[in-house]
Amino acid sequence: MSRLRNLSLFLVLAAAWGSAFVAINAGLAYFPPVLFAAFRFDVAGVVMLAYAAYAVDDPVPRGRDQWLEVVSGAVFIIAAYHAFLFVGESDPAVTSAVAAVIVSLSPVLTTVFARALLPAERLTAVGALGLGIGLAGAVVLANPDPANLTGGGTVAKLLVLLAATSFALGSVLSRASEADIAIETMEAWSMLLGAGLTHLLALALGESVADATWTTESLLALGYLSVVASGIGFLIYFDLLDRLGPIEINLVSYVAPVFAAAVGWLVLDEGITPTTVAGFLTICVGFALVKRDAIREELRAVGVAG
């Protein structure tokens, strides 16, 4: 029963996060991109703070170390990641599936940053090969035209790659922190502070609330991203992180693009190109090489448990 529960929650999480890319593309028809990202975490931050107040003894960060971890998450995981992602997805060449596949490079980049920044980690020759293959998958997806490097959505896809890089770096900085802070508290305050930073960026880019179009469709997209993908999604993520560990839960990044492609096709009539599939498979090979030892240990553990 426990395995069935974990599998069910895993698939729900993959579906929620995969379909979030579709909700972003749908909502971008009504909101300026960076402002849309800010609105998302205005709502999601309040939802997470309410949950933190219910779930933990002290839902407010205390001391310099805890606030530094909150700021790190706000800057890299919330503000930078989502600003790059939403601007990238505003280009019609970046379908939901393409964005999800590029973001699936995050676990590979996370491992690389960890081995570069954490003293106990080292990147072996095989790991470096895996990184190269994973990045090659991103290049396949970008599919640049040498005669027109700024055309065909190349710049937009590189922005999504920067989003994945920001998320990976923020994850490693959070892992390196020695602050003793509940994950619910950290996420809630990172979302709220990240929303404020994203609002400032939107203002600097000249985006205005007056440019937003408030319709049933736009509210549904915003509500889905804030409550389902962010609020409920992160709660499931935290639960599965405790039960499955970081290796298995990382695999959600490789299931989410399947849901992104399927929902994008059904809802937005987005096509799936051979380069999208090829890029996805190439990134999966890179992940397998970088994480080969951890995957081997996980398979042994599952075999013993079975």
Side-chain angles (χ1 to χ4, degrees):
M1 183 62 69
S2 177
R3 285 191 178 183
L4 179 60
R5 174 189 180 280
N6 290 343
L7 176 61
S8 299
L9 287 177
F10 181 91
L11 291 175
V12 169
L13 179 61
W17 282 3
S19 55
F21 292 97
V22 182
I24 292 171
N25 268 346
L28 285 170
Y30 305 97
F31 298 107
V34 179
L35 191 61
F36 186 19
F39 286 154
R40 171 182 181 173
F41 287 100
D42 288 336
V43 179
V46 172
V47 171
M48 279 301 297
L49 185 59
Y51 178 75
Y54 163 78
V56 302
D57 294 332
D58 188 0
V60 179
R62 306 291 179 182
R64 176 177 174 274
D65 289 343
Q66 290 192 1
W67 276 109
L68 282 176
E69 183 165 349
V70 166
V71 170
S72 175
V75 171
F76 293 103
I77 296 177
I78 303 301
Y81 169 68
H82 289 90
F84 283 131
L85 176 63
F86 279 53
V87 173
E89 280 205 63
S90 66
D91 190 308
V94 182
T95 64
S96 306
V98 167
V101 170
I102 296 174
V103 169
S104 73
L105 191 60
S106 288
V108 180
L109 295 171
T110 298
T111 302
V112 172
F113 279 127
R115 291 178 175 175
L117 300 177
L118 301 180
E121 302 283 351
R122 291 290 183 271
L123 188 63
T124 64
V126 177
L129 175 63
L131 170 63
I133 291 175
L135 292 175
V139 173
V140 170
L141 277 167
N143 194 24
D145 178 3
N148 183 19
L149 291 177
T150 60
T154 301
V155 172
K157 292 168 187 174
L158 290 176
L159 288 176
V160 179
L161 179 58
L162 282 175
T165 304
S166 298
F167 189 93
L169 179 57
S171 298
V172 172
L173 292 175
S174 177
R175 188 189 306 172
S177 171
E178 297 180 357
D180 183 17
I181 181 173
I183 191 70
E184 296 88 348
T185 300
M186 189 276 289
E187 284 290 343
W189 288 95
S190 290
M191 285 179 178
L192 290 171
L193 179 57
L197 292 173
T198 312
H199 274 293
L200 290 176
L201 179 58
L203 184 64
L205 293 173
E207 296 183 358
S208 169
V209 176
D211 297 326
T213 303
W214 300 97
T215 66
T216 300
E217 290 80 5
S218 65
L219 289 173
L220 284 173
L222 179 59
Y224 185 85
L225 288 171
S226 303
V227 178
V228 178
S230 297
I232 297 174
F234 274 111
L235 293 181
I236 294 174
Y237 175 81
F238 297 143
D239 179 68
L240 290 178
L241 184 62
D242 288 336
R243 295 172 179 272
L244 302 178
I247 302 305
E248 285 192 55
I249 196 59
N250 257 341
L251 296 177
V252 76
S253 296
Y254 297 91
V255 181
V258 178
F259 286 97
V263 177
W265 174 68
L266 287 171
V267 177
L268 301 179
D269 197 28
E270 295 178 338
I272 304 172
T273 67
T275 55
T276 302
V277 176
F280 174 66
L281 294 176
T282 305
I283 289 172
C284 285
V285 171
F287 173 81
L289 288 173
V290 170
K291 288 289 196 181
R292 66 197 182 284
D293 292 335
I295 293 171
R296 191 182 302 119
E297 290 176 9
E298 196 68 35
L299 290 174
R300 283 185 191 142
V302 172
V304 171

